[in-house]
Amino acid sequence: MSASQGMHTCKRCKKEYGDNYPTCPHCTVTGVDLDSLLSADEMKLMRGERPDTPVCLVDMVTGKALPVAVPMCKVGRDIANDVAIPGDRSMSRFHFQIRYTGDDYYIEDCGSRNGTFLNGSPIAIPRKLQNNDTISAGISRYQFSLTGSNGQAISEEAIPDGIPPNPASTCSRIVYDNSARDISSALEKLRGSLDSGQNGVPTEEPNLRSIPQALPDTGAPPPWLEDYSFNEIEKLMGEKDRLNGLIEEIRQDIKQIDRKIAVSQAVAYHLLASQGPELSQAVKQVLELLDWYSESNMNTPYEITLKKGPRVEAVGRVICCDTDPTPKDLEALISQQAVIWCQSNYEPKGIMIVQMRPELSPAQRPQFNKDFLENMRRKKLCVVTPGQLLQMYRILVLQSGDRMQAKEMLMNTCGLLPGFQLSGNENRAATA
């Protein structure tokens, strides 16, 4: 401490105090060495911290290890975060946080604009972290490590081409294949640009020793200095702009993929586990993929009208039940057809979407009675399950299937729609 006229300046808080105090009264009056006390393992444990923790986030591009602070580690673009990522403009100022509770770590999104993803699945509630989990935020990807990396890059095997394998949920497994391929394609585009010149000719590896260290800033250069600028500098600036354009293109690709993942997960959830208006909305979303415009009555959302232009080509009715639909349900669908018949003098196709026992897994749900299906066949009505619509969504959106072929199958089927069977075992095998 420095003294002046009987006053001292505290090393810690920089405040002055008089000779009548043995230590700074603004920090402590006990005379205890605060530096030693605050760094003691006992105090860390009392504050809920883990002393000398090796836990870190490993950047999956650079391999750099970023220590995770406890009990709370905030990550985002703002420099006020514990882990600041100012270079990723697609990341929110305060994007996500990792909390240490008990013996476990949990991750939660902080209301970010583009969302936070754990192993490819968007985070809606706090999720428990496991060693080697992958965290995606903006265009940044991190591997959560409980053992640290000692500053070394992670192995190539730990870096996925896109969304990491083994997503946590059934919905994520459904959308994994296409998303991984799309992100892999975008990354290959950037890697190819870095490995080759403008004309596709591989560039030589730069000699790092030939690149000088940055010199001190001397202020604004004189105007005549531009007359002595090098053409090579302009080429470098052009190359930088080109790479920035590629990065922005990849960023937009990732945003589109994230949106496809979120929409696909919502459609899967509502088709398989919902009933009422949510189920009807998901059904409409799939049927509109077949070049139809759908309408529904606000008072009866389970009634759907499917149009191509001004013409009503089909009417649908969404039914939730424990067993086969009742004759009353059948009469209601026929009545929908009759209304169009009376108005336009033609009969639209009738489609019954039946959700049986949504609390059960699709594999455990009861089968349709043969008499019911035969009755539907005689009346030229089509029966389809939400699980079949989900498989149809998967084929049309995630696998770019033939939409007109799927539409013709619905229009020409009398009885239960053939094919489009959703198999949980198949989905798991596809992502194994």
Side-chain angles (χ1 to χ4, degrees), residues 15 55 95 102 124 185 188 228 237 280 301 343 364 375 381 397 406:
K15 295 181 179 180
V55 175
H95 202 103
S185 175
E188 286 302 324
Y228 296 89
M237 294 176 66
S280 298
Q343 293 175 348
Q364 298 175 324
N375 192 22
L381 300 174
V397 176

Side-chain angles (χ1 to χ4, degrees), residues 266-267 270-271 277-287 389:
V267 169
H270 290 307
L271 284 178
E278 295 83 4
L279 173 61
S280 298
Q281 185 62 33
V283 169
K284 288 172 56 179
Q285 203 160 351
V286 177
L287 294 178
L389 290 181

